[in-house]
Amino acid sequence: MAFFQKGPTGSAAASFMAKEFGEGGKGVTIDGQEYSLWFNSEGFRIAPGRSAFGPGSTLISWVNAAAMVSNLLRDRVFATQDKIDAAFDNEVRELAEKLWYLRQDFSEEAEKRGSLPAIAEAYAEPGFPDGTKAIEKVLRDPHEREKLVEDMRIFNTAYKDNPGLLRFRQALSPVVLASCIEDLDRPVTPFQSQEGFAPAKASFITEDEITRLLTGGPNIAESKLQIYSYFVQGHNAKECADFLKSSYGEGGRCYTGYDENYGTKGIRFTRSDEESGYKGYDTVTLNWNQVQKRVRALIDSGQYLNDQEKAYLPAYEKVTLAQRIHAFNYYKPDPDRTYPHEWDFNAAKRDILPLLDSPEQVEKIFNRMLSDFAPLSPDTPHYTEMQLALRDVGMYQRGESPLFTPLPEAVLEAERQKKQAAKEAKRKAPAPQRTTSEAPPASGDRLAAAARALASKRRTQAQEDQSGQFSLFSPAAPAPLEPESPTPAPEVQPPAPPQVPEQSSTFVPSPYSAYKAIKEAHPDSIVLYQVGDFFEMYGEDARTAAPLLDLGLSQRVIPDVVRPGLGDVIFCGFPTYALDSCVEKLRASHDVTVVPLDRQPHTMHSLPDGADDPKITITVPNYQATVTAEEAPLLARLMQTNE
């Protein structure tokens, strides 16, 4: 409303509309007819029914959409009067917040210069809410606003010559921000609303929104690729539903207008907007069988994986195969200890992955595994995992895809029978007898004893679970796979070495504490902390990076018995294969510190405005290198892989 009150041009209005709507959808009901809407960079799409891409779908460009808004405003049927009246206050509030963030990012030099004196006193108010309210008062006063415009002009002239006045590049440049402040003095059109007018309100979640929810996958690294592999191997509906339940675990995530929750019964999806408030305007609940049907349909139609994920499939398969070969060698009975029996997370990628590009080396690996496996009996520990690894290497040697080729029905049926037999044996096993002296304590004593026992455990580092991921205490973490299960999970990895306490598979310390120590050493950087095959960001770093990388924010709960006083931790993350593209986006406005698995951090500094072939400084303990922008990603990748 505030934007259109100032009479913008068509092209400016179109750009503004595209940015404000972003990408997403809504479902509305008008005169008993359901309509689905979908917004993206192409424009505004609408169709009758529950999908905006169904029969009768119409795409309206943002240029035409902006013209329609102008016409609706003229006809007094675009917004209610209270929205029209609140436009200026909302505009001032948003500008005050942006000015507060601009002032917060001043470097020491900008502080010494005394830049933006018009808001210096207002910014001195303690905390974000009080400071922004004080800046609002400055913006509402025409005389003070005139001083602020002049201060912004002086600051922008200095900033053009010296970008070091700001620690980070702003999402909204100071020049654009100055223009927005000047716009407060522009004359506005006093639009009015037709008496009794009420715009259509969102009423249901569209099929397109459910599709986007499911193609987002679980929160765990590379879970989508594991799900894709499991489905294409030909497992039946019940097996796929169970696999999805295990992959999603219990937890959820929320982002603007969306709230997702996962549990034993399925997925609950709630949609909200400004009008519907906290509870939202619609909720969809899907049980795991319904989820597997939808996921299977998306896979069959080629919609489940995006282009980047599809391109990564060959590399992902090789890494997974290398991990399974390493697990085979780790599990095999080896009295002479010819293979290291201290688990090394990097060994598969470092020692085995390069060999998979050579057919001769693959043949040698397969023959050696075949020789090692031949004398083993089915009751050998981890026999099933070794058998599956041998099968996968054999397929790879024959030029077949071990992860993305349908398995013969006889193989699938044999696996089901073995799994059922294992369950029956477990069910029939006698329960351990408790002696009189082992009588269970009272409820309160049990909880206290459990808390003391967990608190007294030696806090080991997070361990890698059977799916190849690091286990962290998180409601969203999937349940661990049963070691006896013959089901060929896409990521067969050994559990942590036997000497690790059993509780560490569930209650383990969060990497957040180690991350905080690195963050304190790099307070002005966004810190990317590697957890397994994933880079995570926490707290304010996560809130800053999520909109820049189009990521959803998640919440991890750390109980006091694991890390007292930590509570809820906001985080987001991305797979390691996306490191280059994500770092490039973040470096446009922020310094980035990358912490790979070896925990040796290296820092990439943000790119100054207008820099020609900027030099990037990358630092690790006892070493510093200055390289070109083209060389930086290569050096970072080499450092990450310890080459």
Side-chain angles (χ1 to χ4, degrees):
M1 177 57 62
F3 180 83
F4 277 91
Q5 282 177 332
K6 298 179 177 67
T9 62
S11 59
S15 299
F16 177 84
M17 293 275 286
K19 182 178 179 181
E20 283 294 305
F21 277 82
E23 182 167 6
K26 280 188 177 183
V28 300
T29 304
I30 303 174
D31 294 334
Q33 171 66 56
E34 292 181 338
Y35 295 92
S36 292
L37 321 174
W38 189 258
F39 324 111
N40 59 22
S41 58
E42 293 182 342
F44 172 104
R45 187 175 292 275
I46 182 170
R50 294 235 158 191
S51 172
F53 297 86
S57 176
T58 300
L59 178 64
I60 302 167
S61 70
W62 288 119
V63 171
N64 290 335
M68 290 179 177
V69 170
S70 296
N71 291 335
L72 292 170
L73 282 167
R74 182 195 60 205
D75 296 338
R76 304 192 300 163
V77 288
F78 176 74
T80 57
Q81 193 61 45
D82 62 321
K83 297 292 183 187
I84 297 174
D85 296 339
F88 180 77
D89 291 339
N90 183 72
E91 184 178 19
V92 169
R93 177 183 59 78
E94 290 188 354
L95 282 175
E97 291 175 356
K98 292 180 174 67
L99 282 167
W100 190 91
Y101 282 117
L102 177 71
R103 179 61 181 78
Q104 186 188 42
D105 280 339
F106 273 11
S107 65
E108 290 185 8
E109 184 176 353
E111 295 269 9
K112 291 177 182 177
R113 286 175 175 240
S115 301
L116 301 186
I119 61 169
E121 185 177 344
Y123 177 78
E125 291 289 333
F128 175 81
D130 293 335
T132 54
K133 288 179 181 177
I135 295 175
E136 279 188 51
K137 292 181 180 179
V138 174
L139 290 171
R140 291 179 186 279
D141 186 322
H143 180 66
E144 294 297 321
R145 191 163 65 235
E146 185 177 352
K147 293 181 182 178
L148 178 58
V149 168
E150 178 62 19
D151 287 351
M152 288 294 296
R153 185 189 65 77
I154 295 172
F155 176 80
N156 285 329
T157 300
Y159 178 66
K160 182 178 180 180
D161 296 331
N162 182 11
L165 293 177
L166 293 178
R167 293 181 297 164
F168 305 122
R169 183 182 297 176
Q170 298 293 300
L172 186 67
S173 75
V175 174
V176 175
L177 183 55
S179 176
C180 292
I181 298 171
E182 292 181 21
D183 281 349
L184 293 177
D185 290 318
R186 291 179 59 184
V188 299
T189 302
F191 290 115
Q192 297 293 319
S193 175
Q194 191 178 99
E195 186 175 351
F197 167 71
K201 295 182 179 180
S203 59
F204 65 91
I205 295 172
T206 66
E207 291 294 307
D208 310 316
E209 293 171 285
I210 297 174
T211 294
R212 187 169 72 163
L213 157 72
L214 296 179
T215 53
N219 289 334
I220 310 302
E222 297 187 341
S223 291
K224 273 187 69 178
L225 303 183
Q226 295 173 12
I227 290 170
Y228 178 80
S229 171
Y230 195 80
F231 272 67
V232 299
Q233 284 179 335
H235 296 89
N236 63 31
K238 184 181 185 307
E239 292 165 341
C240 288
D242 290 342
F243 191 82
L244 286 168
K245 179 168 65 174
S246 174
S247 298
Y248 276 87
E250 293 203 31
R253 59 187 171 189
C254 55
Y255 42 101
T256 306
Y258 297 87
D259 186 7
E260 304 172 11
N261 285 278
Y262 324 123
T264 56
K265 295 183 178 179
I267 295 179
R268 188 176 74 251
F269 184 36
T270 299
R271 184 74 167 89
S272 60
D273 61 10
E274 185 180 5
E275 301 292 336
S276 62
Y278 175 74
K279 292 184 178 180
Y281 59 77
D282 191 22
T283 294
V284 170
T285 300
L286 302 173
N287 62 40
W288 290 116
N289 185 50
Q290 292 171 318
V291 174
Q292 73 85 17
K293 287 181 179 178
R294 287 175 175 266
V295 170
R296 187 174 294 281
L298 290 169
I299 290 175
D300 291 344
S301 63
Q303 300 178 68
Y304 187 65
L305 301 181
N306 60 37
D307 292 341
Q308 187 179 28
E309 290 163 341
K310 291 176 182 177
Y312 179 63
L313 287 179
Y316 168 73
E317 184 168 53
K318 281 187 179 180
V319 170
T320 302
L321 189 62
Q323 291 170 340
R324 294 182 180 180
I325 294 170
H326 180 63
F328 179 97
N329 292 329
Y330 179 83
Y331 282 142
K332 70 181 180 183
D334 190 6
D336 298 328
R337 295 287 175 104
T338 57
Y339 193 83
H341 270 246
E342 181 178 353
W343 181 253
D344 182 355
F345 295 117
N346 295 314
K349 291 184 179 179
R350 183 189 64 230
D351 302 333
I352 300 175
L353 184 60
L355 303 178
L356 298 182
D357 290 327
S358 167
E360 293 79 12
Q361 292 292 343
V362 173
E363 184 178 4
K364 289 181 181 179
I365 291 172
F366 178 72
N367 290 335
R368 185 170 61 248
M369 291 174 66
L370 193 61
S371 176
D372 291 337
F373 187 77
L376 302 183
S377 62
D379 58 353
T380 302
H382 304 291
Y383 181 88
T384 298
E385 288 91 334
M386 296 176 69
Q387 184 183 47
L388 296 177
L390 181 62
R391 180 200 69 190
D392 290 348
V393 176
M395 294 179 66
Y396 186 79
Q397 184 192 22
R398 296 191 300 270
E400 301 173 9
S401 168
L403 292 190
F404 309 116
T405 298
L407 297 175
E409 184 59 32
V411 173
L412 294 171
E413 186 57 35
E415 292 174 355
R416 292 167 192 146
Q417 291 175 4
K418 291 184 70 173
K419 187 174 183 179
Q420 184 61 33
K423 287 184 177 180
E424 286 294 323
K426 185 177 180 180
R427 183 178 63 83
K428 294 178 180 179
Q433 298 297 316
R434 180 182 283 124
T435 64
T436 306
S437 61
E438 295 173 328
S443 175
D445 294 338
R446 286 202 306 271
L447 292 174
R452 285 194 298 271
L454 287 168
S456 65
K457 288 288 183 185
R458 178 172 64 88
R459 292 180 179 175
T460 59
Q461 289 297 311
Q463 301 297 325
E464 197 172 30
D465 62 21
Q466 290 174 323
S467 68
Q469 308 304 327
F470 276 86
S471 291
L472 306 173
F473 179 83
S474 167
L481 299 176
E482 299 178 9
E484 303 83 8
S485 170
T487 303
E491 280 273 326
V492 177
Q493 273 288 85
Q499 64 269 23
V500 176
E502 184 179 349
Q503 286 87 345
S504 68
S505 64
T506 303
F507 291 94
V508 298
S510 167
Y512 183 65
S513 54
Y515 157 85
K516 285 181 67 177
I518 296 172
K519 179 65 177 177
E520 289 172 0
H522 302 267
D524 297 332
S525 292
I526 289 181
V527 176
L528 309 182
Y529 193 90
Q530 188 173 1
V531 182
D533 290 330
F534 218 58
F535 279 102
E536 293 189 349
M537 293 155 281
Y538 305 92
E540 288 304 316
D541 280 1
R543 291 186 177 92
T544 301
L548 298 176
L549 301 178
D550 195 24
L551 298 174
L553 288 173
S554 301
Q555 184 168 290
R556 179 174 292 149
V557 182
I558 311 298
D560 285 345
V561 295
V562 175
R563 173 100 173 137
L566 191 57
D568 297 350
V569 175
I570 299 298
F571 74 101
C572 65
F574 55 83
T576 53
Y577 66 78
L579 178 65
D580 287 351
S581 61
C582 290
V583 166
E584 192 64 27
K585 292 178 182 178
L586 293 175
R587 282 177 58 230
S589 56
H590 296 79
D591 289 349
V592 180
T593 294
V594 182
V595 187
L597 281 176
D598 59 10
R599 305 303 183 229
Q600 301 296 310
H602 52 272
T603 300
M604 297 185 185
H605 296 289
S606 57
L607 302 176
D609 283 332
D612 294 326
D613 193 22
K615 300 296 182 181
I616 312 300
T617 301
I618 299 181
T619 305
V620 297
N622 304 319
Y623 181 77
Q624 178 170 299
T626 300
V627 298
T628 66
E630 288 76 15
E631 295 167 333
L634 174 61
L635 180 57
R637 192 180 305 112
L638 293 176
M639 294 165 72
Q640 179 190 346
T641 56
N642 296 325
E643 296 183 13

